[in-house]
Each structure stands twice: as C-alpha cells, then as structure tokens.
C-alpha cells in the first residue's frame, strides 16, 4: 500500500515518534522509531516522495528486510543475519559419527510401497532380533520435594502440570550459582573446549528431556566420546580430587583392611552420569546412530534400521479402529505417495481415517502397537550396548505415567566403577 493512500476508517494515528506507514496486512501502523523530523522509518521511507532519491534493495544476507543501496557495505558489517564467529567449542560434525555412503541405499521406498510378504519378513527379523530382550521395564516414577509447591499451584493448567511432572529445570539461575547457556547444535559441541569445563576439569552429568530421535545419539557421543575419551586420553582429573587421592592413599588401604570398602573414595570419571528421556525414534538416522555395531551383530543393517525406526511410530500413534479398517481390512493399499501419517505433539504419528489402508492389513491395532514398542526397544538396546562398551552401566525404565506422556521411557547410565547404587532394567 502506498504511503500517500488514505488511512482506513477508525485506524487512528501512529504513536508519537513512530512510523506513519500503515501496514495493510497487519491492520496497524508500523511501530518502528523514526529519525528526528522524519515521517517514515527507513524500511518504508522508499514509499514517500522525500525519499525517492535513495534506492532501497533487498539485503543479500536476509531478503526479509531492505537496506539503502549506498549503505550496503556498512550494513553488511552489522547485519544481524551475518555469519557470527564460531566459538572454540564448535567443531563441525564432531559428534555425527562416521559417514559410510556405501552402507546407506540411495533410496528407500515408504512402508506403504512394501508388499505384505516384505512386511512379514521385516517383522520376522524384528521379532528374532528382539528375542531375549526384557520388554517389561521397571517403574521409577519419582518427584522431588522442590516441585511440591509448584505441582500444587492452583494456577497451573494441564500443560504446566504435565511438564512439571517430567522435569526439574529452570531453577538454576541463582545469585551464587554458575550458570551458562550455550546455543549450539549438539552435533557440533565439543564439551572439553568449553572454558568452564576445561579450566576446572569438572565431571559432567548429561540430562536431557525428550531428546528427539537422533539428538539422543548425538548427545551420547558428545558425552562418552568427545568429552570422556578426550579427558581420559590426557589423564585429566580435578586438582582437588588429585590432592585428596594423594593424601588419603594410606587411609584407603586402612579402610580396605578394616572391611570398610564402601567408604573408599570412588575413582573420578569425566562423565558421572547420564539421564535422557527418550522420544521420537522415527526421527533417528543410521549415520548418527550409536548402536550400529549391535545391529550388525544381529545381521541387521541400514535398510532394516530405516524401516524399524519408521514402524516405531506405531507405538505412540494413538491408532483407533475405524469403520474403514473394520469393514475393508483386506483392501490393498491405494495411496502409494506417502506413509499416511502426520506428526503430533507426543513425537509419534497419528493415523488418520483416510490413511489406514497404507498400514499392513494383516495386523490389528494392538499388534501394530506391540511391533512399534519392539522397534523402539531394539533401537534403545543398541544404545544400551554402546554405553556398556564404553564402560557404563545403563538401564531403561519408566519415569512417568503414560497418561502424562506416551514417550515415558528413561535411559540412565552410571560409570561401572561408581559407588552409587546400581539401577536395574
């Protein structure tokens, strides 16, 4: 809309010191501050006659805004969209894992393209690979006293209560505490180059609430390879711990002779523990997956992993029998264009009425859910195996009620030499 066009009835006037350009799309005046003696902000000045002499062009870094052509060089130096210098703890793809192009097929068809025979073969492989795995996890639903008041606050809505039951965070910023937030993709995070950690040689506890799919694998590799392995290679441990160990060597021997082994100081470890709420297995990726060796040992590879991670969504999709499925269960798949699923907030897939034909008709709803859970369990077992190989004692358990979240499985891990009580699967 031109700046000289008449203002719509009832729109009033722009606020004092603000741009006089009426933004038709937003049904209000522009709220940008204008220079002294000017009627329009720099963004809209080109529409006014007094500014016609200066040409505005799209910013090459971000075409969502414009800049005066004669000030482009100056603008590029301070534009918010310019590439920022990378911090020392940014190392490209350090936690991504090895990329083996020969192992990953160029194109894998959607599940809806598979024949009934192919689906049955996949399910047979899944069930064989899952033999012996304990699918009954232990309930470890706990609540910290610090959350008592918050959980009982009458002002809480359902959403607030739901999240409070799954975490204890956002409470760290206290006056006397050290708190630092890093904005970086886990894939590129090198923990041992964070100044606070590299200076103090601090042990790390990795905590993640619903690390979606591949993010769990990236986080595990970040902790147990990038940080722990690097610290162990340099034989590093905190100064205070070294002094304590030196001074108490005789005491340790005395305690051992007296049968008080439980009081012996535990060996320092770079990663003291891992707690990750798992979710969205359908967003996993073979390249980044930490359990590839486990899959290979079972005779499985990238192809099986691809379909298992897609089928894992059946565990949390909230599928319900429909009249279409009940009356036409033997109908062949008609829609070959996609998997017939849409994402929802719990990280799984909700199957819609017009997509039930894209799922195998020889399975009922409960069987599909069981298969979905088996897929999730097998993928998580690969992570368990990975952590065991890295010297940890890992476990899977339920940390919240399924009514709070369908993604209610928690992965925990302690170093094998830790004196803390062991967690059982």
């Amino acid at each position: 809309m031109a700046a000289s066009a008449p203002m719509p009835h009832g729109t009033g006037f722009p606020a004092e010191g603000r741009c006089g350009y009426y933004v038709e799309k937003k049904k209000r005046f522009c709220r940008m501050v204008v220079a002294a003696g000017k009627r329009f902000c720099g963004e809209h000045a080109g529409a006014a006659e007094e500014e016609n002499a200066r040409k505005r062009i799209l910013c090459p870094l971000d075409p969502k805004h414009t800049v005066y052509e004669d000030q482009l060089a100056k603008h590029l130096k301070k534009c918010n969209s310019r590439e920022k210098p990378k911090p020392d703890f940014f190392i490209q793809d350090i936690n991504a894992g090895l990329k083996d192009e020969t192992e990953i097929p160029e194109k894998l068809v959607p599940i809806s393209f598979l024949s009934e025979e192919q689906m049955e073969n996949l399910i047979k492989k899944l069930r064989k690979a899952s033999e012996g795995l304990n699918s009954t996890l232990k309930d470890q639903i706990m609540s910290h006293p610090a959350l008592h008041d918050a959980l009982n606050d009458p002002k809480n809505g359902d959403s607030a209560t739901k999240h409070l039951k799954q975490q204890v965070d956002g409470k760290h910023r206290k006056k006397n505490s050290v708190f630092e937030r890093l904005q970086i993709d886990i894939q590129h995070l090198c923990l041992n180059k964070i100044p606070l950690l590299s200076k103090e040689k601090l042990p790390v506890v990795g905590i993640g609430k619903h690390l979606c799919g591949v993010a769990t694998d990236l986080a595990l590799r970040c902790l147990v390879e990038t940080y722990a392995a690097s610290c162990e290679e340099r034989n590093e441990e905190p100064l205070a711990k070294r002094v304590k160990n030196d001074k108490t060597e005789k005491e340790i021997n005395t305690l051992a002779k007296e049968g008080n082994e439980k009081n012996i100081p535990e060996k320092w470890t770079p990663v003291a523990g891992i707690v990750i709420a798992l979710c969205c297995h359908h967003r996993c990726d073979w390249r980044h997956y930490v359990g590839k060796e486990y899959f290979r040992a079972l005779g499985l590879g990238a192809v099986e992993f691809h379909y298992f991670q897609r089928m894992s969504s059946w565990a949390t999709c909230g599928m319900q029998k429909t009249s279409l499925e009940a009356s036409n269960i033997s109908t062949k798949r008609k829609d070959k264009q996609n998997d017939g699923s849409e994402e929802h907030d719990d990280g799984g897939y909700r199957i819609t009425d017009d997509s039930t034909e894209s799922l195998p008709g020889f399975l009922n709803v409960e069987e599909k859910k069981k298969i979905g859970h088996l897929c999730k369990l097998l993928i998580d077992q690969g992570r368990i195996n990975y952590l065991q190989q890295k010297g940890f004692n890992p476990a899977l358990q339920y940390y919240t009620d399924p009514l709070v979240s369908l993604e209610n499985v928690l992965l925990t891990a302690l170093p094998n030499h830790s004196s803390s009580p062991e967690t059982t699967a």
Side-chain angles (χ1 to χ4, degrees):
M1 176 179 175
S4 57
M7 301 301 173
H9 178 69
T11 56
F13 300 93
E16 185 178 355
R18 304 290 174 167
C19 179
Y21 185 85
Y22 185 79
V23 185
E24 180 64 31
K25 183 178 180 180
K26 298 183 178 179
K27 303 299 181 184
R28 62 167 174 77
F29 286 97
C30 171
R31 294 172 181 168
M32 294 292 288
V33 177
V34 297
K38 300 293 184 180
R39 181 183 172 191
F40 303 99
C41 68
E43 186 69 26
H44 298 121
E49 292 183 5
E50 61 267 27
E51 299 291 347
N52 280 343
R54 300 181 69 189
K55 181 181 179 183
R56 292 187 71 85
I57 59 173
L58 295 176
C59 174
L61 300 179
D62 182 7
K64 293 181 180 178
H65 66 275
T66 61
V67 60
Y68 284 120
E69 188 174 31
D70 57 5
Q71 291 187 343
L72 179 61
K74 182 179 179 181
H75 170 80
L76 293 177
K77 293 179 181 179
K78 60 180 182 180
C79 179
N80 290 332
S81 298
R82 72 189 186 281
E83 185 176 358
K84 310 294 192 305
K86 295 291 190 298
D88 291 339
F89 51 80
F90 178 99
I91 298 182
Q92 186 74 34
D93 293 330
I94 189 171
N95 302 314
L98 298 177
K99 189 173 184 179
D100 187 354
E101 298 288 359
T102 62
E103 195 171 3
I104 303 176
E106 289 186 7
K107 188 176 181 181
L108 291 169
V109 299
I111 290 178
S112 57
F113 276 67
L114 299 179
S115 66
E116 190 168 302
E117 182 181 1
Q118 288 174 313
M119 280 299 307
E120 287 177 336
N121 287 334
L122 275 174
I123 294 171
K124 285 180 182 178
K125 286 185 177 182
L126 172 67
R127 286 176 171 153
K128 182 179 179 180
S130 304
E131 287 179 358
L133 295 184
N134 183 13
S135 60
T136 305
L137 307 184
K138 185 177 180 180
D139 282 329
Q140 291 280 24
I141 302 175
M142 299 178 285
S143 180
H144 196 279
L147 286 175
H148 179 78
D149 292 339
L151 283 170
N152 291 282
D153 188 342
K155 297 180 180 179
N156 282 340
D158 292 341
S159 179
T161 302
K162 171 182 176 179
H163 289 288
L164 281 170
K165 287 182 178 180
Q166 299 179 73
Q167 63 188 44
V168 183
D169 63 7
K171 314 293 183 185
H172 308 293
R173 296 190 181 189
K174 297 180 180 179
K175 291 183 179 179
N176 298 323
S177 67
V178 178
F179 184 87
E180 183 177 359
R181 184 181 297 278
L182 306 176
Q183 293 184 332
I184 183 174
D185 191 319
I186 304 174
Q187 183 166 328
H188 315 301
L189 173 60
C190 182
L191 284 177
N192 55 40
K193 289 189 178 293
I194 295 174
L196 179 64
L197 296 181
S198 61
K199 179 181 179 182
E200 301 293 337
K201 306 296 187 296
L202 297 174
V204 168
V205 175
I207 301 176
K209 175 178 177 284
H210 287 178
L211 277 178
C212 185
V214 68
T216 291
D217 299 296
L218 297 175
L220 291 177
R221 196 175 281 111
C222 176
L223 288 165
V224 305
E225 292 187 40
T226 305
Y227 189 66
S230 176
C231 289
E232 289 170 358
E233 284 175 6
R234 296 198 300 261
N235 195 27
E236 293 181 349
E237 57 179 308
L239 177 60
K241 193 72 175 181
R242 289 200 300 270
V243 172
K244 181 179 179 181
N245 287 344
D246 292 342
K247 286 185 177 181
T248 58
E249 185 175 355
K250 292 182 180 179
E251 297 175 22
I252 292 174
N253 294 331
T254 302
L255 289 170
K257 289 178 182 179
E258 295 175 353
N260 295 322
E261 291 89 348
K262 291 183 179 180
N263 296 321
I264 299 175
E266 64 185 69
K267 179 182 176 182
W268 178 79
T269 178
V271 179
I274 298 172
V275 183
I276 296 177
L278 305 168
C279 85
C280 300
H281 294 72
H282 64 281
R283 289 189 177 275
C284 290
D285 180 88
W286 177 251
R287 177 196 171 183
H288 304 306
Y289 181 51
V290 296
K292 284 189 281 192
E293 292 304 317
Y294 176 77
F295 260 61
R296 293 187 185 112
L298 293 171
L300 305 174
V303 174
E304 290 82 5
F305 180 84
H306 169 79
Y307 289 114
F308 291 167
Q309 55 104 351
R310 299 306 302 170
M311 291 156 59
S312 71
S313 65
W314 296 352
T316 55
C317 64
M319 288 182 292
Q320 298 294 330
K321 277 195 173 183
T322 63
S323 57
L324 174 64
E325 183 181 23
S327 63
N328 201 19
I329 196 169
S330 61
T331 303
K332 296 297 182 181
R333 305 166 184 86
K334 295 179 181 178
D335 181 8
K336 300 287 187 178
Q337 301 306 312
N338 53 58
D339 287 342
S341 54
E342 58 184 43
E343 290 176 80
H344 68 106
D345 292 340
D346 283 335
Y349 277 75
R350 187 175 306 283
I351 306 304
T352 54
D353 287 356
D354 59 351
S355 67
T356 52
E357 290 179 311
S358 68
L359 295 174
F362 59 90
L363 297 173
N364 62 38
V365 171
E366 288 305 313
E367 288 173 332
K368 292 169 188 173
K369 287 183 179 180
K370 289 179 181 178
I371 288 171
H373 282 294
L374 272 184
C375 290
K376 293 167 81 72
L377 180 63
L378 189 65
I379 291 172
D380 289 336
Q381 190 61 37
R383 292 161 170 167
I384 291 288
N385 180 264
Y386 168 80
L387 287 168
Q388 289 172 336
Q389 299 300 318
K390 297 296 182 181
F392 286 84
N393 178 28
L396 297 173
Q397 55 217 328
Y398 294 120
Y399 78 98
T400 194
D401 192 282
L403 294 177
V404 175
S405 174
L406 290 175
E407 297 283 19
N408 63 337
V409 176
L410 190 72
L411 170 65
T412 61
L414 291 172
N416 279 330
H417 54 69
S418 172
S419 61
S420 303
E422 292 187 358
T423 311
T424 57

